[in-house]
Amino acid sequence: MEQLLTRLVDKFGYDKPIATDEILTAWGDYSRPWVFRLLKRFNEEQKIIKYESGIYYLPTQTIFGKPSALSRRLVLEKKYIGDGNEVFGYYSGLSLLNLWGLSNQVPAKPEVVSSKASAIVRKIPYGKQYAVLRKARTPITSNNVSALELLEAFCAMPRYSLDERAINRIKELVVILKIQQKEVFKYASLFPAKAIKNLLYAGVENVFA
């Protein structure tokens, strides 16, 4: 049975969230009931650990000889932002501004917008706290995610914070991410008017791909 563990290690690595469906696919030459019996056994042996319903991971060993803990951030991203094959979400609010280097504040409660969200907004468990999950305004894909993030960033930024440093950083990201003007204006109407006003104020339209 060790070769089955090796199969997962080769595909996903250690300390990374793995969805149940991904394990079923990786072990597709075995029946579903057999896979779940084996997962139960491996979990008892702490070779594969069940983090929560639908999420497992392959632990490493800590210096104390105990299995490593899985990053809650990685689980959040796996479930609501992207699974390595497709993109279906992004960080928003202060989480996005911090990620983009537009704020030094580290949010205690991450904010995520996702196509996987069913409610307009709800709180989801995040360790001993919670994260804020919002339903996407439009389906999110790898093709439009950067344009949507840009509009989201301008929604989250008050006008007074759009100083020279912030504007230069945004323009730099527009170039790095190859954000296209047509994509931004395609989705602009889905966001509050503040987003496009801040965009024009920053002069970002001059650096679009």
Side-chain angles (χ1 to χ4, degrees):
M1 298 304 170
E2 293 300 319
Q3 74 271 18
L4 292 178
L5 288 175
T6 301
R7 197 182 297 182
L8 294 183
V9 171
D10 291 343
K11 187 172 181 61
F12 302 104
Y14 291 100
D15 297 325
K16 301 289 179 61
I18 310 170
T20 304
D21 287 345
E22 291 176 321
I23 297 176
L24 288 168
T25 299
W27 294 349
D29 39 345
Y30 296 93
S31 70
R32 186 183 181 93
W34 188 89
V35 168
F36 279 104
R37 282 199 299 271
L38 192 57
L39 281 175
K40 184 175 184 295
R41 171 182 158 186
F42 280 149
N43 184 60
E44 290 171 350
E45 296 173 353
Q46 295 191 322
K47 293 179 178 178
I48 296 178
I49 293 182
K50 184 176 183 180
Y51 180 84
E52 62 180 40
S53 179
I55 296 291
Y56 292 82
Y57 72 101
L58 296 157
T60 52
Q61 295 295 312
T62 69
I63 58 174
F64 302 105
K66 295 183 178 180
S68 55
L70 183 61
S71 165
R72 58 187 181 179
R73 176 183 61 81
L74 291 179
V75 175
L76 181 70
E77 292 175 356
K78 176 83 172 187
K79 294 173 68 174
Y80 299 110
I81 293 180
D83 60 7
N85 296 313
E86 61 177 320
V87 174
F88 38 77
Y90 55 82
Y91 285 108
S92 64
L94 187 57
S95 300
L96 176 60
L97 298 185
N98 179 266
L99 182 65
W100 275 19
L102 298 170
S103 172
N104 293 323
Q105 290 182 270
V106 179
K109 303 175 181 65
E111 297 178 51
V112 171
V113 173
S114 178
S115 296
K116 298 289 186 179
S118 55
I120 294 177
V121 60
R122 69 185 178 98
K123 297 178 181 178
I124 56 175
Y126 188 73
K128 295 181 180 180
Q129 299 177 322
Y130 63 85
V132 178
L133 179 66
R134 291 187 172 85
K135 187 174 182 179
R137 304 169 194 267
T138 188
I140 300 167
T141 68
S142 58
N143 294 323
N144 67 11
V145 64
S146 294
L148 295 172
E149 285 177 313
L150 181 66
L151 289 164
E152 199 77 53
F154 278 124
C155 274
M157 295 186 73
R159 178 66 62 86
Y160 66 79
S161 68
L162 281 169
D163 55 21
E164 183 178 358
R165 187 201 67 82
I167 291 173
N168 287 337
R169 174 58 179 162
I170 292 170
K171 288 181 177 180
E172 180 184 33
L173 287 167
V174 167
V175 173
I176 292 172
L177 299 174
K178 299 179 180 179
I179 301 176
Q180 298 184 359
Q181 178 173 298
K182 64 178 182 179
E183 284 293 302
V184 173
F185 283 92
K186 176 180 177 180
Y187 299 108
S189 62
L190 301 176
F191 290 80
K194 174 186 177 181
I196 202 68
K197 288 179 180 178
N198 279 345
L199 185 153
L200 295 174
Y201 173 81
V204 173
E205 72 277 8
N206 297 319
V207 294
F208 279 125

